[in-house]
Amino acid sequence: CDWPMGLEITFIVPLLMYNESWVKTSARFVWSFFMIFAGVKHFTDTEVFMSIMPTWIPVEYHAMCVWVSGVCEILGGIGMLFPLRIVRSLAAMGFIALLVAVFPVHIHMLVNNVPFKGSTIPLYFHVGRIILQFVMILFMMWLLGKPKPKQK
């Protein structure tokens, strides 16, 4: 393995010592990388995210809101990778709070038929996106669930 010396001891091995199922661990890793990617997109495509901001948020705060949500997604994604359950739990609770906080953006897009990247979005996509918000909250709650008992 060509990893830097000690990386497998300090980071990789503890990741595999969780007391959770492989399904949950895999789901958490996929979620983490997806959210880190999405968070980075908030900085590389800021204008796209600013274009969907609700009109009741003053325009001068749009970029800040996009960047703060991007930072939350990146930090939450990193937090979900930590071996300490308390860190993962805090990250999952943070994601739930973020999903609730951005919910008005999706309602705004639905009610006002806000285009995304210059394209009009069909109604079924808006409705599906709102349903997905609830599914993602339930997913975070599942990840927060009680760990399985230790085997002796």
Side-chain angles (χ1 to χ4, degrees), residues 30-43:
V30 169
W31 173 265
S32 295
F33 290 113
F34 173 74
M35 293 311 293
I36 291 168
F37 175 78
V40 169
K41 293 297 278 180
H42 281 68
F43 293 94

Side-chain angles (χ1 to χ4, degrees), residues 13-60:
V13 171
L15 286 176
L16 301 176
M17 295 171 61
Y18 297 137
N19 191 25
E20 75 181 6
S21 72
W22 281 102
V23 172
K24 197 174 269 194
T25 300
S26 300
R28 200 166 37 76
F29 273 65
V30 169
W31 173 265
S32 295
F33 290 113
F34 173 74
M35 293 311 293
I36 291 168
F37 175 78
V40 169
K41 293 297 278 180
H42 281 68
F43 293 94
T44 60
D45 292 340
T46 303
E47 297 295 323
V48 171
F49 291 98
M50 286 175 54
S51 71
I52 63 172
M53 293 292 290
T55 52
W56 51 267
I57 297 175
V59 174
E60 58 267 17

